[in-house]
Amino acid sequence: MGNIYLAHLMVMVVVVVFLGVFLPCLCQGDSDYDTTAVYVVTLRHAPVSHYYGELRREVNSFKDAAPAPGRTQFNKPRRYDNITKTDKRYGSYISQVHDSLLKKVLNGEKYLKLYSYHYLINGFAVLVTQKQAEKLSRSNEVSNVVLDFSVRTATTHTPQFLGLPQGAWFQEGGFETAGEGVVIGFVDTGIDPTHPSFGDSNSNHPYPVPGHFSGICEVTRDFPSGSCNRKLVGARHFAASAITRGIFNSTQDYASPFDGDGHGTHTAAVAAGNHGIPVIVAGHHFGNASGMAPRSHIAVYKALYKSFGGFAADVVAAIDQAAQDGVDIISLSITPNRRPPGVATFFNPIDMALLSAVKAGIFVVQAAGNTGPSPTSMFSFSPWIFTVGAASHDRVYSNSIFLGNNVTIPGAGLAPGTDESKLYKLIHAHHALSNDTTVADDMYVGECQDANKFNKDLIKGNLLMCSYSIRFVLGLSTIKRASETAKNLSAAGVVFYMDPYVIGFQLNPVAMKMPSIIIASTNDSKILMQYYNSSLEIDAVSKKIVKFGAVASICGGLKANYGSAAPKVMYYSARGPDPEDSLPHEADILKPNLLAPGSFIWAAWSSVAADSVEFLAGENFALMSGTSMAAPHVAGLAALIKQKFPSFSPAAIGSALSTTASLYDKSGGPIMAQRSYASPELNESPATPFDMGSGFVNASGALNPGLIFDSGYDDYMSFLCGINGSAPVVLNYTGQNCGLYNSTVYGPDLNLPSITISKLNQSRIVQRTVQNTAQNESYSVGWTAPYGVSLKVFPTHFSIGSGEKQILSVLLNATVNSSVSSFGRIGLFGNQGHVLNIPISIMVKISSNTTTS
């Protein structure tokens, strides 16, 4: 979890379509045929959420009780709502139905049921053999059988960068009420409840637990009674699938909601952490932290673990429970590391469970994935999920080293500098070994992991040079141990140079207590080494070094600098077009939906998280990068929208975020996108909708969108039924017949705040319906057509009353033959100041004339 390459959740899918039922693709003998595995089984009967819609809960208090040794107890809120009681009875009934089915089909054979899902999907997770799974798949009551698959995990300044203090927070009464009454559910690695970012005593204002939430708080030895409060209102963990595999380490992974990794604590704090929490790391103060919605409530559903990641059966159980508890928003950092096979990428257990969550009124935010910058690298697929890419913000930490030959080399490192008035001798680790140590004895001694292997007299008062190799990236060597080595040897500081075999690795600034710098560029590291080697005096006879001539001073990197070239799309952020299948064909859906800050984000960290590449063990804050840092920014901002517009549907919240997004950086120029993994700063060009979606999130604008584009469950079902060959799969996943839906609805026909067409064959008319959430207003319509396309919108002017709807018809004609994607925009300009941006993306264009591009 230490770097952005591990900062997002990856899902490995190993299933194929077989006679309308998903079963594992395995070439194996009889012994493997009898090997047990976990399967997710879906039944044809609809789940609870399809009947009851949004949850309504009433929570009055938490009841704390001390846990018995070795047992998990729960803090349970009292329930009075009749619908809650009905749901509970129905859930128990469904569980009994699952048990009866297993007994009937497997008839005395051994099996182990792990979960009964009843709220978002009607099904269960069970440990059986492949032969038994095939028996289940042939049952008339069963619609779908899927082999469980593995998953793994995908601020102080960003509130200011997003304009929250004077904008969105100010509009709604300040940070002390921002997000109040809204519950955000996090499916992640858990939470550290002792962190001040999650306390409930920061304000004298009333802070009741929302009445619609009915979650519980597990109580264990490492998550004791009192861990939950009015801020952290629910906490559970899900690990049954992992436990059946024998890979769960209770010491390291914690059989409780406690976060042994740090990632879940970080994402929860980004979205909803308390306001004004001092960020102190390695003894340095880096400002005060705040979540986007600091007054919102947090519910944690731990389904991912430090040592192994997680499994889909546990993740689906977590999502199902979050919806049943009554969360308003679900924040996910889960993306597959390969595209789901079959008819379409949308058909996988997690996305289909989230479709039911959206039907229940829950806004779902998902990280785009850290698989950029290649086209079609997107790993969040479905139109009902709001997908967030990662962008930079304007704060940077820069460190540098000044050499005795008047050359200054930039580097990374949140560390103090050396004495400005003094130059210090540079001593390479290989040239400061103790008498009984040689490089031949320890080929990694240059990484400075053991002070006993060095000559203290030679290093004392000088700058120790250490190699930063791939072993640091893998966690085999650590900055902490190298710093301790330098400290024990009384060095004036430590200089890490990049090993030439570490190519393209992008390092986040690392907090260090003593003067230090990491030269992240291999080219700059060569410059340092050339200066160092050329300054050595070596005896011609003995070949021993008689003088170290290279000197330097470390300038320090504790002070933040602020620039105007932000935001920009980070190189790792996954890009569109959205793949519809594993080939891939492009879907007529815009992904990502939006950009948010995801680079160099300060937020809370678990107190027990281990040492890693970017921060030290035992610290309470960490600086992380990745799309999984961007997603909770949007989850928190969505809470502000939900607070202001409690009746908004998930699609309406997404529309408000999308149509108000910014297309420009702080300097007024276009948002740029990094195009290269290596040297990303040198390979940039203007971002397209496939890089940034609708643009960069505008927190204040999203609270006053004017018009919204709305969609619902029936629209998404019609879209799924419109996919060629999808009817049996839709029936398997939802239990609903496509004959009930309009199967001529395709991606461009969904009422999204964007228009995406993978293949424009001569001409097409698409329609969008907008609804006015503000006062009466008159709008004019303008547009910029994509290259190779003529575009007209009707009407070009309209007046719309509060609450009224207006249909817009968009006529697109291909004017050239081209397979190169081109982009345009439609703008809606209201006379009361509302401005809406609708991106247009056209891929293949087939014209009736012979012009070719």
Side-chain angles (χ1 to χ4, degrees):
M1 297 302 302
N3 55 65
I4 58 172
Y5 314 105
L6 298 178
H8 67 286
L9 301 170
M10 308 289 281
V11 180
M12 183 173 293
V13 182
V14 197
V15 290
V16 296
V17 177
F18 177 70
L19 298 178
V21 177
F22 283 88
L23 286 174
C25 179
L26 299 171
C27 298
Q28 53 192 5
D30 291 339
S31 60
D32 287 339
Y33 196 65
D34 294 328
T35 300
T36 57
V38 177
Y39 292 82
V40 177
V41 180
T42 308
L43 305 189
R44 299 188 186 281
H45 198 274
V48 172
S49 64
H50 287 217
Y51 297 106
Y52 292 107
E54 291 193 36
L55 290 171
R56 298 187 295 275
R57 307 293 193 223
E58 187 168 327
V59 177
N60 290 315
S61 64
F62 285 105
K63 292 183 179 180
D64 291 350
R71 298 188 61 187
T72 298
Q73 295 186 2
F74 302 95
N75 289 348
K76 297 184 179 180
R78 297 174 65 188
R79 297 181 176 89
Y80 295 100
D81 188 281
N82 289 331
I83 290 182
T84 301
K85 294 178 182 178
T86 304
D87 286 353
K88 184 175 181 181
R89 290 198 303 266
Y90 186 79
S92 177
Y93 167 73
I94 288 293
S95 181
Q96 294 173 20
V97 170
H98 296 166
D99 292 337
S100 298
L101 174 64
L102 284 165
K103 289 178 182 178
K104 181 178 71 173
V105 174
L106 300 183
N107 193 21
E109 298 176 15
K110 292 183 179 180
Y111 64 87
L112 177 63
K113 189 184 77 170
L114 308 182
Y115 296 108
S116 273
Y117 310 124
H118 70 271
Y119 195 80
L120 295 180
I121 62 174
N122 178 10
F124 51 85
V126 62
L127 180 69
V128 291
T129 65
Q130 184 188 352
K131 184 177 180 180
Q132 290 174 313
E134 290 176 354
K135 284 185 180 180
L136 287 167
S137 71
R138 290 192 293 266
S139 170
N140 291 332
E141 293 98 325
V142 172
S143 66
N144 212 26
V145 178
V146 180
L147 179 66
D148 194 15
F149 47 84
S150 62
V151 302
R152 53 176 175 165
T153 53
T155 79
T156 57
H157 177 62
T158 48
Q160 285 73 28
F161 183 62
L162 295 172
L164 296 180
Q166 293 77 38
W169 288 350
F170 179 78
Q171 293 176 30
E172 300 306 309
F175 69 83
E176 289 196 328
T177 59
E180 194 166 82
V182 179
V183 181
I184 306 176
F186 297 89
V187 179
D188 214 298
T189 64
I191 196 167
D192 182 350
T194 67
H195 200 284
S197 291
F198 311 122
D200 67 352
S201 58
N202 291 32
S203 172
N204 293 324
H205 288 256
Y207 195 26
V209 175
H212 65 272
F213 183 76
S214 66
I216 61 175
C217 186
E218 290 184 15
V219 178
T220 67
R221 288 182 181 275
D222 43 56
F223 207 85
S225 175
S227 294
C228 285
N229 52 39
R230 294 172 299 168
K231 177 72 172 179
L232 176 57
V233 294
R236 288 174 174 261
H237 85 286
F238 302 83
S241 183
I243 291 171
T244 63
R245 302 164 193 266
I247 62 173
F248 189 87
N249 182 337
S250 60
T251 301
Q252 185 178 18
D253 296 317
Y254 296 94
S256 77
F258 190 84
D259 185 6
D261 179 275
H263 187 273
T265 299
H266 196 279
T267 56
V270 169
N274 286 327
H275 181 269
I277 306 302
V279 177
I280 299 175
V281 179
H284 312 304
H285 184 212
F286 293 99
N288 296 326
S290 175
M292 300 300 101
R295 198 67 170 169
S296 61
H297 305 269
I298 294 169
V300 169
Y301 303 88
K302 178 180 174 181
L304 298 144
Y305 297 84
K306 180 177 178 59
S307 64
F308 59 86
F311 296 93
D314 296 327
V315 171
V316 172
I319 294 170
D320 192 71
Q321 188 62 56
Q324 185 177 353
D325 288 348
V327 302
D328 300 291
I329 296 164
I330 291 178
S331 182
L332 291 171
S333 294
I334 302 172
T335 60
N337 75 345
R338 64 177 67 180
R339 299 182 185 98
V343 175
T345 53
F346 319 116
F347 295 111
N348 65 80
I350 293 175
D351 281 35
M352 296 309 292
L354 292 173
L355 175 59
S356 290
V358 168
K359 183 180 183 180
I362 300 168
F363 182 68
V364 178
V365 185
Q366 184 177 29
N370 295 346
T371 47
S374 300
T376 322
S377 54
M378 179 58 53
F379 280 91
S380 174
F381 313 110
S382 298
W384 52 88
I385 298 171
F386 198 82
T387 304
V388 186
S392 65
H393 55 93
D394 61 346
R395 183 194 61 206
V396 294
Y397 293 97
S398 57
N399 199 344
S400 61
I401 183 170
F402 177 76
L403 305 181
N405 60 355
N406 291 321
V407 172
T408 299
I409 298 176
L414 302 172
T418 54
D419 188 335
E420 296 178 1
S421 62
K422 184 178 178 181
L423 292 175
Y424 296 81
K425 191 179 296 183
L426 287 165
I427 307 291
H428 193 288
H430 284 173
H431 299 152
L433 301 178
S434 59
N435 292 332
D436 55 353
T437 302
T438 66
V439 176
D441 295 332
D442 184 356
M443 62 185 297
Y444 304 117
V445 70
E447 297 169 9
C448 306
Q449 299 295 292
D450 186 354
N452 294 322
K453 297 185 177 182
F454 297 96
N455 183 339
K456 182 174 182 178
D457 293 336
L458 192 56
I459 295 173
K460 184 177 181 180
N462 298 317
L463 297 177
L464 176 62
M465 294 173 60
C466 305
S467 170
Y468 191 100
S469 74
I470 191 67
R471 289 167 53 82
F472 283 84
V473 181
L474 299 175
L476 302 176
S477 296
T478 68
I479 290 171
K480 180 181 180 180
R481 287 199 296 269
S483 297
E484 289 174 347
T485 295
K487 180 182 178 182
N488 292 336
L489 297 172
S490 300
V494 59
V495 179
F496 295 92
Y497 66 91
M498 196 62 63
D499 185 284
Y501 292 104
V502 183
I503 300 173
F505 178 64
Q506 303 296 319
L507 183 72
N508 281 346
V510 182
M512 293 173 279
K513 295 182 178 181
M514 70 184 308
S516 308
I517 186 171
I518 304 172
I519 301 173
S521 162
T522 53
N523 289 333
D524 288 340
S525 296
K526 289 178 183 178
I527 294 173
L528 171 67
M529 292 304 300
Q530 287 169 357
Y531 166 65
Y532 175 80
N533 290 327
S534 66
S535 301
L536 293 173
E537 290 188 17
I538 301 176
D539 183 86
V541 177
S542 66
K543 304 298 182 182
K544 292 184 178 181
I545 298 172
V546 296
K547 182 180 179 181
F548 294 91
V551 292
S553 64
I554 298 173
C555 300
L558 295 176
K559 184 179 179 181
N561 300 305
Y562 300 90
S564 60
K568 64 177 64 175
V569 186
M570 298 306 296
Y571 66 93
Y572 53 78
S573 188
R575 311 297 167 90
D578 183 15
E580 183 172 280
D581 53 36
S582 58
L583 293 177
H585 293 111
E586 295 85 1
D588 295 324
I589 303 296
L590 181 61
K591 293 290 179 177
N593 296 98
L594 198 70
L595 290 177
S599 183
F600 302 158
I601 306 300
W602 280 117
W605 193 248
S606 177
S607 58
V608 302
D611 188 22
S612 65
V613 175
E614 296 165 352
F615 33 84
L616 307 181
E619 298 290 357
N620 288 323
F621 286 88
L623 189 72
M624 295 186 72
S625 294
T627 55
S628 59
M629 278 67 254
H633 275 87
V634 172
L637 297 176
L640 302 183
I641 300 173
K642 185 71 173 178
Q643 180 187 20
K644 183 175 181 180
F645 300 103
S647 64
F648 266 22
S649 70
I653 295 173
S655 173
L657 289 161
S658 298
T659 60
T660 59
S662 174
L663 304 176
Y664 305 100
D665 65 18
K666 281 187 63 178
S667 68
I671 294 175
M672 303 297 284
Q674 296 178 339
R675 302 291 180 191
S676 172
Y677 180 81
S679 304
E681 298 287 346
L682 303 178
N683 295 277
E684 298 177 354
S685 61
T688 73
F690 291 157
D691 303 313
M692 65 177 180
S694 293
F696 185 78
V697 64
N698 176 353
S700 298
L703 288 176
N704 186 21
L707 306 176
I708 58 166
F709 297 74
D710 207 357
S711 298
Y713 178 81
D714 288 350
D715 301 305
Y716 300 130
M717 285 293 291
S718 295
F719 160 72
L720 292 175
C721 289
I723 298 172
N724 188 33
S726 67
V729 188
V730 171
L731 181 63
N732 286 344
Y733 268 110
T734 67
Q736 294 180 283
N737 195 311
C738 277
L740 301 174
Y741 295 93
N742 178 6
S743 59
T744 62
V745 173
Y746 305 106
D749 303 315
L750 283 173
N751 197 43
L752 304 175
S754 60
I755 297 173
T756 305
I757 300 177
S758 60
K759 186 176 182 179
L760 178 61
N761 191 348
Q762 297 188 34
S763 66
R764 182 162 190 164
I765 296 176
V766 299
Q767 291 187 329
R768 292 292 183 268
T769 301
V770 294
Q771 183 173 9
N772 189 10
T773 66
Q775 300 302 311
N776 298 353
E777 195 164 1
S778 296
Y779 282 85
S780 60
V781 184
W783 59 83
T784 301
Y787 170 76
V789 178
S790 67
L791 174 66
K792 291 184 180 179
V793 184
F794 303 98
T796 57
H797 297 83
F798 62 90
S799 295
I800 185 169
S802 179
E804 292 182 351
K805 296 181 179 181
Q806 171 69 48
I807 296 176
L808 301 175
S809 297
V810 183
L811 173 62
L812 303 110
N813 280 291
T815 58
V816 299
N817 294 314
S818 174
S819 59
V820 178
S821 297
S822 54
F823 309 94
R825 294 192 180 276
I826 297 172
L828 306 180
F829 305 93
N831 64 356
Q832 300 300 316
H834 293 110
V835 177
L836 286 81
N837 156 54
I838 305 159
I840 303 172
S841 308
I842 312 294
M843 287 164 263
V844 176
K845 294 165 279 289
I846 301 174
S847 173
S848 58
N849 60 41
T850 58
T851 304
T852 301
S853 175

